[in-house]
Amino acid sequence: MPDAYLDTLDPLPREALWRRLISDPHHPVFVVEDRQQIIGFCDLARSRDADSKNSTGEIPAIYVDPGA
């Protein structure tokens, strides 16, 4: 993600959002570590498509360090 975009984000609302998502047992968040350093994460959610079945999901966010 470009630094110019990241520089426009207000970290406080993002922190509140991720705290809520991480604490929700129905919203899994996976973190990838390498040598005790976080190199990526993704979260899963139920599909927002109106015609989806309960077993259908989506990945709303996936981020990985480009160097990894």
Side-chain angles (χ1 to χ4, degrees), residues 18-66:
W18 282 104
R19 285 184 181 275
R20 183 176 53 78
L21 293 176
I22 289 169
S23 67
D24 181 348
H26 301 290
H27 194 108
V29 176
F30 296 92
V31 177
V32 179
E33 293 181 70
D34 183 30
R35 298 182 190 100
Q36 299 181 340
Q37 293 290 321
I38 295 174
I39 60 169
F41 72 93
C42 76
D43 67 314
L44 306 177
R46 288 186 177 188
S47 175
R48 294 174 280 185
D49 293 340
D51 62 345
S52 69
K53 302 196 177 359
N54 281 341
S55 61
T56 304
E58 62 183 72
I59 300 172
I62 184 168
Y63 301 97
V64 179
D65 181 342

